[in-house]
Amino acid sequence: MKHAQHQSKGFVLLLAGMMSLVALSVDAMLPALVVIAEDFSLSNQAYAQWTITSLFIGLSFGQLIYGPLSDAFGRKRPIYLGYSLFILGSILCVLADSFAWLLAGRVLQGIGAAAPRIITTALVRDKLKGAEMASVMSVVFSIFIVVPIVAPALGQVVLNLAGWRWIFGVLLAMALVTGICFCLFQEETLAVEKRRALSIANMLAGLKLLFAERTALVYTLVSGLVFGGFMGYLNSAPLLFIQLYQQGDNFALLFALSAMSIGLASVVNGRIVLRMGMRRMILWALWSLVWLSSLFCLLLVKTQGVPSLFWLMTYLIPAFFCIGLLFGNLNSLAMEPLGAIAGLGSAFVACISTLVGIPIGSAIGLSFNNTVYPLNLGFLFMAVTALLLIKLFDRPVAKA
């Protein structure tokens, strides 16, 4: 029994470490963006945000690859492929002598990180069922939520001690440790007789079903809008806090407060969503974000776009609480009509929502003008457009 419990704890820690690779790859880099822009003599410091965007570009396409591969060839071999690409990308980033090579390495990291991000859920589904599966995933996601809180602090420490290239060295080390542990201690969970042949026809049929299901498509697009607003914050945060507010030493703490707000929203959502329903939670969160952003916009007019740090955080913390309520509920509603193609459907929803969010997030980041206006108006645009999409195209079927 003790051996089984030890195995279970090891399994949970391994999955959490694998899933955290994406979050760490994004958030640990944030304190270094300004320094990267200076090192590569970028004409606009906002261009450094492409180190974040390029990772998500790779991640979006990678998510389409590994789901079908893991169903056809088992769980382990596609993860080996993903880790190999991530490690190669990390080495390329460490050695990059130009900004273009750095971006190429980040795309490879994104494609590689998609494998553990996507396939870990399938590993749990293969091994466990029902309440046991829910319990393990709850613990995994609890650990996963902590990573964005501590990652910028880790990145800041590495940046101060050794320079930004060694942040990629830390990512490389984490990939090696979790990859070797996975290789040595995790067995293959998908039996040969349960594997499905890789088929382009099946993928096209799945994509056709997604576009035919209006509810799935609407909430996939809304999820993309919300992700775009969040990505706009990721792109803007270093310039906002480090450059505009001169809070380089406190950047990790300020970023952690918003990340904790998202984590708290996940906990609250788990407690009340069954009572309120996902649609009501989504509408409540979007309307709250509209009112918050509208009121804050009035404050920006009075302060020439640069309110005090206190008022900025007073806006961001509840705004990210609303965004935290949206993330899980939007994904669940998008997946609700896609039960027949759950694995492939999940990959399509993740890919399309990421591709929708990338240009929005990039536009917000590149619009940075030494005020908070671009971020605030980006959040307002995202929330209003999402509400319009739901109002115009979501028609829940009345229950008999």
Side-chain angles (χ1 to χ4, degrees), residues 33 37 42-54 57 99 103 228-229 231-240 243 357-371 373-375 378:
L33 294 191
L42 301 184
S43 59
N44 184 343
Q45 285 193 327
Y47 293 159
Q49 67 164 281
W50 284 102
T51 58
I52 305 299
T53 304
S54 55
I57 289 173
F99 191 57
L103 296 185
M231 190 174 168
Y233 171 70
L234 292 178
N235 289 333
S236 303
L239 293 174
L240 196 64
Q243 181 174 296
I358 284 172
I360 296 171
S362 297
I364 293 172
L366 291 172
S367 299
F368 181 76
N369 58 357
N370 286 311
T371 74
Y373 275 123
L375 182 62

Side-chain angles (χ1 to χ4, degrees), residues 160-193:
N160 292 340
L161 292 177
W164 62 265
R165 291 179 188 273
W166 280 99
I167 297 175
F168 294 108
V170 170
L171 296 174
L172 174 60
M174 183 178 177
L176 287 170
V177 170
T178 54
I180 290 170
C181 289
F182 177 80
C183 177
L184 295 178
F185 303 115
Q186 179 58 52
E187 75 280 5
E188 175 59 62
T189 59
L190 186 66
V192 174
E193 62 271 14

Side-chain angles (χ1 to χ4, degrees), residues 145-156:
I145 287 170
V146 173
V147 173
I149 297 173
V150 302
L154 174 63
Q156 187 70 60

